[in-house]
Amino acid sequence: MTSKNINKPSSNGRFGKFGGKFVPETLMSSLKEIEEAFEKYSKDESFWEELTTLQNDFIGRPTPLYYAKNLSEKLNQRIWIKREDLAHTGAHKINNAIGQALLAKRIGKKRIIAETGAGQHGVATATACAMLNLECIVYMGEEDIKRQAPNIYRMEMLGAKVVPVTSGSRTLKDAVNEAIRDWVTNVENTYYIIGSAVGPHPYPYIVREFQSIIGIESRKQILDKTGSLPNYVLACVGGGSNAIGIFSGFIDDLDVSLIGIEASGEGIDTEKHAATLTKGTPGILHGSLSYVLQDSFGQIQEAHSISAGLDYPGVGPEHSNLKDIERAQYYSATDLKALEGFKLLSVEEGIIPALEPAHALGFLIDWSQEIPKDQSILFLLSGRGDKDMETVSKKMASL
């Protein structure tokens, strides 16, 4: 299987049968404009030179690849951690936000809108807009605002306007809904920076390309340090931008197993989970055909996770295709398992993870005992846990 078959969407924006453009007619011309601009500037050396300079000097790339000695000894595996928590703003989200903000500026759009769940994409977008002198409006569910108060202050300090969303479950799905409504109304002067590898074509492809820096760096770093590729690449999956970013560096290496971990909330067999690839079925959400959580009538169901960043009833179409062609395997971890992973990395390595990658850490605890010992495992730490301390402390106190 080649990258041409797996990595590139078709001319109509499909990864296999997934993806496409299911949006109001009002947005079709804007999507075409974005697609054509990305194709143009992806071949423009000056664009990539500017982006590379920002990646190195502003974001702080390359981020380190760290051998987790204590965790490795505890779990009898060789665990390498890609430290996206050390990127500027504290997560991988800045890679995409900077790239799309530069693209928006080249197109001539000076009003930026974004959605955010855990707040990290909102902070990253606000940061990029402040640096590039762009107007920034961030839509965020009221429930997530309660869970992620520190990030609200950060966005506002950076000059962004945070708009609370009070409809539906008041989480990430509803923030996306409101951002799309804004975009339809203000399409002439507005660029929508989608934060994950979801939405209508060309967004899943664009986000993957800007996040692929994680996979490019990781592949080179682990080869430099060990002389060989890892046995497994492990990442959490909500919409899926961090996972597709690191997966892209190894997707043609069929001996490397790609493992994505979703949020199973209060349990995979309850109604309170966000395990889209495990329990969902193909359907349309936010302009794209992918696996979604839906009832028998096709109505989107509410997702649940202790992590605001994984609390989404859909997933990027490229992940749906990777699942169907069995190039990647997807599992899940509960809220309680995520808390266990959160504490494990903190205590063993002195690194406090965000709740999103803590799900993958929680999964790692038991799974590492089921696979052969001394495997090389590349784990993507997509963000740091400062934003989650209040949520975690309250939850742990109640247990």
Side-chain angles (χ1 to χ4, degrees), residues 12 15 18-19 59-60 107 136 161 185 213 223 305 309 333 352 388 393-394:
N12 63 354
F15 295 94
F18 299 102
I59 298 175
I107 294 172
C136 182
K161 178 183 178 183
T185 307
I213 188 68
L223 283 172
S305 172
I352 300 176
D388 296 313
S393 61
K394 284 181 178 177

Side-chain angles (χ1 to χ4, degrees), residues 157-356:
M157 182 61 70
L158 290 159
K161 178 183 178 183
V162 181
V163 180
V165 176
T166 58
S167 59
S169 59
R170 298 170 295 161
T171 57
L172 182 56
K173 169 181 68 72
D174 311 290
V176 175
N177 291 341
E178 289 303 315
I180 291 174
R181 288 190 186 103
D182 182 320
W183 193 22
V184 170
T185 307
N186 301 287
V187 70
E188 292 300 321
N189 70 334
T190 297
Y191 185 104
Y192 179 15
I193 297 184
I194 292 181
S196 195
V198 299
H201 179 70
Y203 279 108
Y205 176 52
I206 289 174
V207 174
R208 197 279 310 284
E209 289 298 280
F210 286 138
Q211 292 293 0
S212 68
I213 188 68
I214 304 172
I216 292 167
E217 287 179 5
S218 298
R219 194 176 196 281
K220 181 179 186 303
Q221 287 168 325
I222 202 160
L223 283 172
D224 287 346
K225 288 177 180 288
T226 71
S228 60
L229 294 173
N231 300 108
Y232 300 94
V233 175
L234 184 68
C236 66
V237 178
S241 64
N242 82 96
I244 209 64
I246 196 166
F247 285 2
S248 67
F250 302 89
I251 208 158
D252 291 331
D253 303 301
L254 300 186
D255 290 337
V256 178
S257 297
L258 308 177
I259 310 290
I261 309 302
E262 301 183 294
S264 53
E266 295 183 5
I268 199 73
D269 295 320
T270 72
E271 293 185 356
K272 289 194 170 185
H273 66 79
T276 307
L277 289 162
T278 307
K279 299 288 282 189
T281 53
I284 295 170
L285 175 64
H286 297 142
S288 178
L289 173 64
S290 194
Y291 277 95
V292 298
L293 298 178
Q294 59 186 336
D295 63 21
S296 58
F297 298 101
Q299 295 298 306
I300 301 300
Q301 297 176 306
E302 290 186 8
H304 164 80
S305 172
I306 191 173
S307 159
L310 301 184
D311 195 357
Y312 183 66
V315 69
E318 189 169 1
H319 283 294
S320 292
N321 186 50
L322 292 178
K323 169 188 163 70
D324 273 18
I325 64 174
E326 299 183 349
R327 177 61 191 96
Q329 285 74 50
Y330 297 90
Y331 303 96
S332 64
T334 63
D335 290 348
L336 292 179
K337 209 60 172 173
L339 290 172
E340 192 177 339
F342 188 98
K343 188 172 182 180
L344 176 71
L345 191 66
S346 301
V347 170
E348 293 297 329
E349 294 293 343
I351 301 171
I352 300 176
L355 272 171
E356 290 79 17

